[in-house]
Every structure is written in structure tokens, then in C-alpha cells.
Amino acid sequence: MARTEEAHETRLDDDLALLTETLEEVLKASGDPADQKYVELKAKAEQALHEVKSRVSRASDTYYYRARQAVNRADDYVHEKPWHGIGVGATVGLVLGLLLRR
């Protein structure tokens, strides 16, 4: 399931990057700069693009921070109870070995 979510996030990142590049190209290449409606629409699109980029950046930072916290908690747990960590690692290895054997 985590692999599916990771693939989905990667695809979403790629789609967002493509959309951003396309919108930036359209904003640079189209319209009559003398047309007031075009100028307003371009400003609105640029503002929306800036806001989306900012939200995506904050979301990425949040996910990174949460992942880092989880890693630190796991590290602390393994240092506090090394034999439990070894047991969990062995169990996970056994289960993965059985699944991959199929």
C-alpha cells in the first residue's frame, strides 16, 4: 500500500510540475499586453500559481518533518530496547521472505 501511495505522490508531483511549466509558458507567450482583460487574467493566474507552489512546498516540508519524527522515534525505541528491535526486524524479514518466495 505504501508503494502505491508513493507512486501516486510521484505521479502527482510530475503532473503538478508539468502543469506549472505549461502555465508559465502560456503566461509568457500569449495575449496582447495592451488588453486590460489579459493583464488582469495574467496577474490572477500568476498569483494562483504562486499560491499553489507555496502550498505544495509547505506540504512537502510537513511530510518531511513527520517522516523525520517517525524515524527518530523508531531510532530511540531501538536504542532503548535493542532486543525488541531485533525481534521485529527478524519477524519482518521472515514475513517478507515468505511473501517473496511465492
Side-chain angles (χ1 to χ4, degrees), residues 43-55:
K44 185 176 179 180
E46 287 174 342
Q47 179 63 30
L49 180 61
H50 176 71
E51 289 174 6
V52 168
K53 283 182 175 181
S54 178
R55 281 195 300 259

Side-chain angles (χ1 to χ4, degrees), residues 58-73:
R58 283 193 305 269
S60 295
D61 292 346
T62 300
Y63 289 132
Y64 174 79
Y65 178 73
R66 288 180 183 172
R68 193 73 189 135
Q69 281 183 323
V71 167
N72 287 338
R73 283 194 303 265

Side-chain angles (χ1 to χ4, degrees), residues 76-86:
D76 290 344
Y77 180 80
V78 169
H79 279 91
E80 290 172 9
K81 300 177 181 179
W83 287 109
H84 289 160
I86 292 170

Side-chain angles (χ1 to χ4, degrees), residues 16-35:
L16 183 59
L18 177 63
L19 178 61
T20 300
E21 290 171 11
T22 304
L23 184 55
E24 286 174 344
E25 287 178 27
V26 168
L27 289 173
K28 289 177 186 175
S30 67
D32 179 11
D35 183 13

